[in-house]
């Protein structure tokens, strides 16, 4: 009775047949084995690639040949350009799907995103029909996808400057808050005396939302930028301090005993035993702190800072320029996602034994 071939998931009939006839089955080299193992995984991806190409072509044709319904003005700008871009994406996907395995790295990169490459043009088409084609959603609160293209083309300089200001402010506040929270967590996790005095303060001040302290921060600090840095650092420092403290306090005492028998000093115990063992908890605190810092960043820029993505959002809302607001929100999402991805890269390098357990 034949057994399933593990590389294909079904009976390898030609090889089994030769074995029954007494002929020796040809040995597969590692390269051929790996290639054959990839074939069943890549074939469905190329079928999805053809479907994705068709949906992008349909989106482009719909955008170009279905006239827009003008409401209160002549027409939406960059409609034809958006449609042509969708058709170009469909052509690229069709070429990648037609090449199959010969596409190489392109095929491997597109394979996981296959279903999304089908879903995105469908969502864009629904959005386009509900706004530009039928005007089912009221303007100016809702705008079609080409309005975002118009914003990125016509207002890229202001958006870029806002992105740079927000990145600088977030970096200053997050780094200061992470360092302060890390040092505080190590101190109260290692020293009972420090924990006795600092723990009540941490319990009292930490749960208070940093944005609630905006008036006090703007009063005590000499500039709105310094106040925003303080609030971001406060929002970052609390989760980092609590989880660092938890990590240090939860280290197995046997580690300390073994190190002491080898003559380790207190400094060695802290730097080489407690902190490395607490690093998984520290990175959890950093992830939580980054999310809190980003929310405080937007609030601080809306209230006091005269530049940044939060300020850009407030300005766009004031002028009822909702397409600019949506464009800024997308930039914010990309910025936050990119920073979390970068932090995951650092975590995977520092905690190499835990690499791949949590992915972003």
């Amino acid at each position: 009775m034949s057994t399933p071939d593990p590389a294909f998931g079904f009976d390898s009939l030609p090889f089994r047949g030769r074995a029954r006839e007494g002929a020796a089955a040809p040995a597969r080299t590692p390269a051929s084995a790996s290639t054959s193992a990839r074939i069943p995984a890549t074939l469905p991806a190329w079928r999805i690639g053809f479907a994705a190409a068709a949906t992008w072509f349909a989106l482009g044709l719909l955008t170009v040949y279905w006239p827009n319904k003008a409401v209160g003005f002549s027409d939406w700008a960059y409609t034809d350009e958006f449609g042509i871009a969708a058709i170009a994406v469909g052509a690229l996907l069709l070429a990648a799907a037609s090449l199959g395995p010969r596409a190489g790295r392109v095929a491997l990169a597109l394979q996981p995103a296959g279903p999304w490459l089908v879903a995105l043009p469908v969502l864009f088409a629904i959005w386009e029909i509900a706004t530009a084609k039928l005007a089912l959603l009221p303007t100016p609160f809702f705008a079609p996808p080409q309005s975002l293209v118009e914003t990125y083309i016509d207002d890229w300089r202001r958006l870029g400057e806002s992105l740079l200001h927000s990145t600088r402010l977030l970096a200053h506040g997050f780094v200061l808050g992470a360092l302060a929270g890390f040092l505080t967590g190590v101190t109260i996790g290692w020293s009972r005396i420090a924990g006795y005095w600092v723990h009540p303060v941490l319990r009292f001040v930490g749960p208070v939302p940093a944005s609630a302290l905006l008036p006090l921060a703007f009063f005590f600090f000499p500039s709105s930028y310094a106040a925003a840095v303080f609030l971001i650092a406060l929002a970052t420092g609390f989760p980092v301090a609590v989880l660092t403290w938890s990590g240090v306090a939860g280290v197995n005492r046997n580690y300390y005993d073994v190190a002491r028998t080898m003559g380790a000093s207190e400094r060695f115990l802290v730097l080489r035993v407690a902190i490395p063992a607490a690093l998984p908890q520290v990175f959890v605190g950093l992830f939580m702190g980054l999310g809190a810092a980003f929310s405080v960043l937007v609030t601080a820029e809306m209230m006091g800072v005269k530049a940044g993505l939060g300020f850009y959002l407030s300005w766009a809302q004031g002028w009822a320029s909702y397409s600019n607001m949506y464009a800024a929100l997308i930039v914010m999402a990309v910025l936050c996602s990119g920073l979390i991805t970068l932090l995951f890269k650092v975590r995977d390098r520092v905690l190499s034994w835990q690499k791949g357990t949590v992915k972003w």
Side-chain angles (χ1 to χ4, degrees), residues 236-263:
T236 304
F238 175 65
V240 174
V242 170
L243 287 164
T244 303
W245 165 36
S246 174
V248 172
V251 176
N252 194 331
R253 296 298 172 183
N254 293 330
Y255 298 161
Y256 298 134
D257 295 337
V258 172
R260 286 191 179 98
T261 59
M262 303 296 293

PDB file of all heavy atoms in Angstrom, residues 236-263:
ATOM      1  N   THR A 236       4.421  57.326  28.148  1.00  0.00           N
ATOM      2  CA  THR A 236       5.288  56.189  27.833  1.00  0.00           C
ATOM      3  C   THR A 236       5.865  55.546  29.087  1.00  0.00           C
ATOM      4  O   THR A 236       5.960  54.320  29.194  1.00  0.00           O
ATOM      5  CB  THR A 236       6.437  56.648  26.914  1.00  0.00           C
ATOM      6  OG1 THR A 236       5.904  57.264  25.745  1.00  0.00           O
ATOM      7  CG2 THR A 236       7.321  55.478  26.522  1.00  0.00           C
ATOM      8  N   GLY A 237       6.255  56.376  30.046  1.00  0.00           N
ATOM      9  CA  GLY A 237       6.996  55.885  31.198  1.00  0.00           C
ATOM     10  C   GLY A 237       6.208  54.974  32.113  1.00  0.00           C
ATOM     11  O   GLY A 237       6.772  54.036  32.693  1.00  0.00           O
ATOM     12  N   PHE A 238       4.901  55.204  32.255  1.00  0.00           N
ATOM     13  CA  PHE A 238       4.130  54.415  33.213  1.00  0.00           C
ATOM     14  C   PHE A 238       4.074  52.931  32.841  1.00  0.00           C
ATOM     15  O   PHE A 238       4.432  52.072  33.665  1.00  0.00           O
ATOM     16  CB  PHE A 238       2.724  55.002  33.352  1.00  0.00           C
ATOM     17  CG  PHE A 238       1.817  54.180  34.222  1.00  0.00           C
ATOM     18  CD1 PHE A 238       2.085  54.025  35.570  1.00  0.00           C
ATOM     19  CD2 PHE A 238       0.703  53.551  33.686  1.00  0.00           C
ATOM     20  CE1 PHE A 238       1.244  53.265  36.381  1.00  0.00           C
ATOM     21  CE2 PHE A 238      -0.131  52.783  34.476  1.00  0.00           C
ATOM     22  CZ  PHE A 238       0.142  52.642  35.832  1.00  0.00           C
ATOM     23  N   PRO A 239       3.657  52.542  31.633  1.00  0.00           N
ATOM     24  CA  PRO A 239       3.641  51.103  31.329  1.00  0.00           C
ATOM     25  C   PRO A 239       5.033  50.482  31.311  1.00  0.00           C
ATOM     26  O   PRO A 239       5.206  49.326  31.707  1.00  0.00           O
ATOM     27  CB  PRO A 239       2.968  51.028  29.952  1.00  0.00           C
ATOM     28  CG  PRO A 239       3.115  52.381  29.372  1.00  0.00           C
ATOM     29  CD  PRO A 239       3.099  53.330  30.517  1.00  0.00           C
ATOM     30  N   VAL A 240       6.046  51.249  30.867  1.00  0.00           N
ATOM     31  CA  VAL A 240       7.404  50.709  30.864  1.00  0.00           C
ATOM     32  C   VAL A 240       7.875  50.459  32.294  1.00  0.00           C
ATOM     33  O   VAL A 240       8.469  49.416  32.599  1.00  0.00           O
ATOM     34  CB  VAL A 240       8.359  51.664  30.126  1.00  0.00           C
ATOM     35  CG1 VAL A 240       9.803  51.173  30.247  1.00  0.00           C
ATOM     36  CG2 VAL A 240       7.968  51.779  28.665  1.00  0.00           C
ATOM     37  N   ALA A 241       7.593  51.392  33.206  1.00  0.00           N
ATOM     38  CA  ALA A 241       8.023  51.233  34.595  1.00  0.00           C
ATOM     39  C   ALA A 241       7.325  50.044  35.254  1.00  0.00           C
ATOM     40  O   ALA A 241       7.964  49.235  35.939  1.00  0.00           O
ATOM     41  CB  ALA A 241       7.742  52.520  35.371  1.00  0.00           C
ATOM     42  N   VAL A 242       6.024  49.926  35.054  1.00  0.00           N
ATOM     43  CA  VAL A 242       5.273  48.852  35.715  1.00  0.00           C
ATOM     44  C   VAL A 242       5.725  47.481  35.216  1.00  0.00           C
ATOM     45  O   VAL A 242       5.970  46.553  36.007  1.00  0.00           O
ATOM     46  CB  VAL A 242       3.764  49.050  35.495  1.00  0.00           C
ATOM     47  CG1 VAL A 242       2.988  47.835  35.966  1.00  0.00           C
ATOM     48  CG2 VAL A 242       3.282  50.295  36.222  1.00  0.00           C
ATOM     49  N   LEU A 243       5.875  47.323  33.913  1.00  0.00           N
ATOM     50  CA  LEU A 243       6.236  46.012  33.373  1.00  0.00           C
ATOM     51  C   LEU A 243       7.710  45.689  33.606  1.00  0.00           C
ATOM     52  O   LEU A 243       8.071  44.521  33.765  1.00  0.00           O
ATOM     53  CB  LEU A 243       5.890  45.955  31.890  1.00  0.00           C
ATOM     54  CG  LEU A 243       4.382  45.850  31.655  1.00  0.00           C
ATOM     55  CD1 LEU A 243       4.021  46.191  30.224  1.00  0.00           C
ATOM     56  CD2 LEU A 243       3.897  44.448  31.976  1.00  0.00           C
ATOM     57  N   THR A 244       8.570  46.708  33.612  1.00  0.00           N
ATOM     58  CA  THR A 244       9.968  46.455  33.976  1.00  0.00           C
ATOM     59  C   THR A 244      10.068  46.022  35.428  1.00  0.00           C
ATOM     60  O   THR A 244      10.805  45.083  35.767  1.00  0.00           O
ATOM     61  CB  THR A 244      10.813  47.702  33.728  1.00  0.00           C
ATOM     62  OG1 THR A 244      10.698  48.104  32.363  1.00  0.00           O
ATOM     63  CG2 THR A 244      12.279  47.433  34.042  1.00  0.00           C
ATOM     64  N   TRP A 245       9.347  46.698  36.276  1.00  0.00           N
ATOM     65  CA  TRP A 245       9.303  46.316  37.696  1.00  0.00           C
ATOM     66  C   TRP A 245       8.794  44.879  37.851  1.00  0.00           C
ATOM     67  O   TRP A 245       9.363  44.072  38.601  1.00  0.00           O
ATOM     68  CB  TRP A 245       8.413  47.307  38.444  1.00  0.00           C
ATOM     69  CG  TRP A 245       7.964  46.893  39.811  1.00  0.00           C
ATOM     70  CD1 TRP A 245       8.667  46.186  40.748  1.00  0.00           C
ATOM     71  CD2 TRP A 245       6.698  47.174  40.401  1.00  0.00           C
ATOM     72  NE1 TRP A 245       7.924  46.005  41.884  1.00  0.00           N
ATOM     73  CE2 TRP A 245       6.705  46.609  41.697  1.00  0.00           C
ATOM     74  CE3 TRP A 245       5.563  47.855  39.966  1.00  0.00           C
ATOM     75  CZ2 TRP A 245       5.611  46.703  42.552  1.00  0.00           C
ATOM     76  CZ3 TRP A 245       4.490  47.957  40.821  1.00  0.00           C
ATOM     77  CH2 TRP A 245       4.512  47.388  42.106  1.00  0.00           C
ATOM     78  N   SER A 246       7.755  44.526  37.131  1.00  0.00           N
ATOM     79  CA  SER A 246       7.219  43.172  37.197  1.00  0.00           C
ATOM     80  C   SER A 246       8.240  42.152  36.703  1.00  0.00           C
ATOM     81  O   SER A 246       8.383  41.066  37.279  1.00  0.00           O
ATOM     82  CB  SER A 246       5.940  43.085  36.365  1.00  0.00           C
ATOM     83  OG  SER A 246       5.467  41.766  36.290  1.00  0.00           O
ATOM     84  N   GLY A 247       8.960  42.497  35.631  1.00  0.00           N
ATOM     85  CA  GLY A 247       9.953  41.575  35.112  1.00  0.00           C
ATOM     86  C   GLY A 247      11.116  41.364  36.056  1.00  0.00           C
ATOM     87  O   GLY A 247      11.571  40.229  36.259  1.00  0.00           O
ATOM     88  N   VAL A 248      11.606  42.438  36.653  1.00  0.00           N
ATOM     89  CA  VAL A 248      12.730  42.319  37.585  1.00  0.00           C
ATOM     90  C   VAL A 248      12.306  41.570  38.840  1.00  0.00           C
ATOM     91  O   VAL A 248      13.027  40.701  39.356  1.00  0.00           O
ATOM     92  CB  VAL A 248      13.286  43.713  37.933  1.00  0.00           C
ATOM     93  CG1 VAL A 248      14.328  43.623  39.046  1.00  0.00           C
ATOM     94  CG2 VAL A 248      13.890  44.356  36.693  1.00  0.00           C
ATOM     95  N   ALA A 249      11.126  41.892  39.362  1.00  0.00           N
ATOM     96  CA  ALA A 249      10.664  41.230  40.581  1.00  0.00           C
ATOM     97  C   ALA A 249      10.336  39.763  40.358  1.00  0.00           C
ATOM     98  O   ALA A 249      10.348  38.978  41.311  1.00  0.00           O
ATOM     99  CB  ALA A 249       9.440  41.962  41.134  1.00  0.00           C
ATOM    100  N   GLY A 250      10.045  39.377  39.124  1.00  0.00           N
ATOM    101  CA  GLY A 250       9.670  38.004  38.858  1.00  0.00           C
ATOM    102  C   GLY A 250      10.816  37.103  38.435  1.00  0.00           C
ATOM    103  O   GLY A 250      10.576  35.948  38.058  1.00  0.00           O
ATOM    104  N   VAL A 251      12.056  37.592  38.471  1.00  0.00           N
ATOM    105  CA  VAL A 251      13.200  36.762  38.095  1.00  0.00           C
ATOM    106  C   VAL A 251      13.372  35.631  39.115  1.00  0.00           C
ATOM    107  O   VAL A 251      13.248  35.838  40.331  1.00  0.00           O
ATOM    108  CB  VAL A 251      14.481  37.616  38.009  1.00  0.00           C
ATOM    109  CG1 VAL A 251      15.694  36.735  37.724  1.00  0.00           C
ATOM    110  CG2 VAL A 251      14.332  38.677  36.930  1.00  0.00           C
ATOM    111  N   ASN A 252      13.655  34.470  38.617  1.00  0.00           N
ATOM    112  CA  ASN A 252      13.851  33.301  39.484  1.00  0.00           C
ATOM    113  C   ASN A 252      15.022  33.554  40.437  1.00  0.00           C
ATOM    114  O   ASN A 252      16.134  33.884  40.000  1.00  0.00           O
ATOM    115  CB  ASN A 252      14.125  32.064  38.624  1.00  0.00           C
ATOM    116  CG  ASN A 252      14.012  30.776  39.415  1.00  0.00           C
ATOM    117  OD1 ASN A 252      14.250  30.743  40.622  1.00  0.00           O
ATOM    118  ND2 ASN A 252      13.663  29.698  38.728  1.00  0.00           N
ATOM    119  N   ARG A 253      14.790  33.364  41.723  1.00  0.00           N
ATOM    120  CA  ARG A 253      15.831  33.616  42.728  1.00  0.00           C
ATOM    121  C   ARG A 253      17.006  32.649  42.592  1.00  0.00           C
ATOM    122  O   ARG A 253      18.111  32.960  43.059  1.00  0.00           O
ATOM    123  CB  ARG A 253      15.222  33.500  44.133  1.00  0.00           C
ATOM    124  CG  ARG A 253      14.172  34.552  44.423  1.00  0.00           C
ATOM    125  CD  ARG A 253      14.754  35.933  44.381  1.00  0.00           C
ATOM    126  NE  ARG A 253      13.734  36.967  44.466  1.00  0.00           N
ATOM    127  CZ  ARG A 253      13.995  38.277  44.385  1.00  0.00           C
ATOM    128  NH1 ARG A 253      15.230  38.676  44.188  1.00  0.00           N
ATOM    129  NH2 ARG A 253      13.022  39.150  44.464  1.00  0.00           N
ATOM    130  N   ASN A 254      16.805  31.514  41.984  1.00  0.00           N
ATOM    131  CA  ASN A 254      17.911  30.579  41.795  1.00  0.00           C
ATOM    132  C   ASN A 254      19.010  31.163  40.915  1.00  0.00           C
ATOM    133  O   ASN A 254      20.189  30.826  41.080  1.00  0.00           O
ATOM    134  CB  ASN A 254      17.398  29.271  41.188  1.00  0.00           C
ATOM    135  CG  ASN A 254      16.495  28.513  42.138  1.00  0.00           C
ATOM    136  OD1 ASN A 254      16.647  28.602  43.359  1.00  0.00           O
ATOM    137  ND2 ASN A 254      15.540  27.772  41.590  1.00  0.00           N
ATOM    138  N   TYR A 255      18.616  32.043  39.978  1.00  0.00           N
ATOM    139  CA  TYR A 255      19.627  32.692  39.144  1.00  0.00           C
ATOM    140  C   TYR A 255      20.571  33.528  39.999  1.00  0.00           C
ATOM    141  O   TYR A 255      21.787  33.518  39.797  1.00  0.00           O
ATOM    142  CB  TYR A 255      18.960  33.574  38.093  1.00  0.00           C
ATOM    143  CG  TYR A 255      18.073  32.843  37.104  1.00  0.00           C
ATOM    144  CD1 TYR A 255      17.119  33.534  36.366  1.00  0.00           C
ATOM    145  CD2 TYR A 255      18.194  31.474  36.904  1.00  0.00           C
ATOM    146  CE1 TYR A 255      16.303  32.871  35.448  1.00  0.00           C
ATOM    147  CE2 TYR A 255      17.385  30.799  36.004  1.00  0.00           C
ATOM    148  CZ  TYR A 255      16.445  31.514  35.291  1.00  0.00           C
ATOM    149  OH  TYR A 255      15.647  30.845  34.390  1.00  0.00           O
ATOM    150  N   TYR A 256      19.994  34.265  40.940  1.00  0.00           N
ATOM    151  CA  TYR A 256      20.829  35.082  41.826  1.00  0.00           C
ATOM    152  C   TYR A 256      21.724  34.204  42.699  1.00  0.00           C
ATOM    153  O   TYR A 256      22.909  34.523  42.916  1.00  0.00           O
ATOM    154  CB  TYR A 256      19.952  35.969  42.706  1.00  0.00           C
ATOM    155  CG  TYR A 256      19.093  36.955  41.950  1.00  0.00           C
ATOM    156  CD1 TYR A 256      17.745  37.131  42.271  1.00  0.00           C
ATOM    157  CD2 TYR A 256      19.613  37.719  40.909  1.00  0.00           C
ATOM    158  CE1 TYR A 256      16.958  38.030  41.582  1.00  0.00           C
ATOM    159  CE2 TYR A 256      18.828  38.622  40.220  1.00  0.00           C
ATOM    160  CZ  TYR A 256      17.502  38.772  40.554  1.00  0.00           C
ATOM    161  OH  TYR A 256      16.720  39.668  39.873  1.00  0.00           O
ATOM    162  N   ASP A 257      21.183  33.112  43.197  1.00  0.00           N
ATOM    163  CA  ASP A 257      21.963  32.248  44.081  1.00  0.00           C
ATOM    164  C   ASP A 257      23.154  31.645  43.345  1.00  0.00           C
ATOM    165  O   ASP A 257      24.269  31.598  43.869  1.00  0.00           O
ATOM    166  CB  ASP A 257      21.077  31.138  44.642  1.00  0.00           C
ATOM    167  CG  ASP A 257      19.976  31.670  45.542  1.00  0.00           C
ATOM    168  OD1 ASP A 257      20.154  32.793  46.075  1.00  0.00           O
ATOM    169  OD2 ASP A 257      18.936  30.988  45.701  1.00  0.00           O
ATOM    170  N   VAL A 258      22.922  31.194  42.115  1.00  0.00           N
ATOM    171  CA  VAL A 258      24.015  30.626  41.329  1.00  0.00           C
ATOM    172  C   VAL A 258      25.076  31.682  41.054  1.00  0.00           C
ATOM    173  O   VAL A 258      26.290  31.423  41.157  1.00  0.00           O
ATOM    174  CB  VAL A 258      23.479  30.024  40.021  1.00  0.00           C
ATOM    175  CG1 VAL A 258      24.615  29.599  39.108  1.00  0.00           C
ATOM    176  CG2 VAL A 258      22.571  28.847  40.313  1.00  0.00           C
ATOM    177  N   ALA A 259      24.648  32.906  40.693  1.00  0.00           N
ATOM    178  CA  ALA A 259      25.615  33.961  40.407  1.00  0.00           C
ATOM    179  C   ALA A 259      26.395  34.352  41.657  1.00  0.00           C
ATOM    180  O   ALA A 259      27.601  34.632  41.587  1.00  0.00           O
ATOM    181  CB  ALA A 259      24.887  35.181  39.843  1.00  0.00           C
ATOM    182  N   ARG A 260      25.727  34.372  42.811  1.00  0.00           N
ATOM    183  CA  ARG A 260      26.435  34.740  44.046  1.00  0.00           C
ATOM    184  C   ARG A 260      27.472  33.688  44.416  1.00  0.00           C
ATOM    185  O   ARG A 260      28.534  34.017  44.953  1.00  0.00           O
ATOM    186  CB  ARG A 260      25.423  34.925  45.180  1.00  0.00           C
ATOM    187  CG  ARG A 260      24.602  36.202  45.079  1.00  0.00           C
ATOM    188  CD  ARG A 260      23.817  36.464  46.357  1.00  0.00           C
ATOM    189  NE  ARG A 260      23.042  37.693  46.285  1.00  0.00           N
ATOM    190  CZ  ARG A 260      21.742  37.740  45.983  1.00  0.00           C
ATOM    191  NH1 ARG A 260      21.077  36.615  45.733  1.00  0.00           N
ATOM    192  NH2 ARG A 260      21.111  38.888  45.928  1.00  0.00           N
ATOM    193  N   THR A 261      27.170  32.427  44.178  1.00  0.00           N
ATOM    194  CA  THR A 261      28.161  31.387  44.488  1.00  0.00           C
ATOM    195  C   THR A 261      29.402  31.516  43.613  1.00  0.00           C
ATOM    196  O   THR A 261      30.483  31.043  43.992  1.00  0.00           O
ATOM    197  CB  THR A 261      27.547  29.997  44.278  1.00  0.00           C
ATOM    198  OG1 THR A 261      27.105  29.864  42.921  1.00  0.00           O
ATOM    199  CG2 THR A 261      26.397  29.766  45.235  1.00  0.00           C
ATOM    200  N   MET A 262      29.260  32.164  42.458  1.00  0.00           N
ATOM    201  CA  MET A 262      30.407  32.392  41.574  1.00  0.00           C
ATOM    202  C   MET A 262      31.107  33.705  41.873  1.00  0.00           C
ATOM    203  O   MET A 262      32.012  34.120  41.140  1.00  0.00           O
ATOM    204  CB  MET A 262      29.948  32.373  40.115  1.00  0.00           C
ATOM    205  CG  MET A 262      29.249  31.095  39.693  1.00  0.00           C
ATOM    206  SD  MET A 262      30.327  29.646  39.762  1.00  0.00           S
ATOM    207  CE  MET A 262      31.470  30.044  38.454  1.00  0.00           C
ATOM    208  N   GLY A 263      30.664  34.396  42.967  1.00  0.00           N
ATOM    209  CA  GLY A 263      31.308  35.640  43.367  1.00  0.00           C
ATOM    210  C   GLY A 263      30.776  36.878  42.684  1.00  0.00           C
ATOM    211  O   GLY A 263      31.486  37.892  42.608  1.00  0.00           O
TER     212      GLY A 263
END
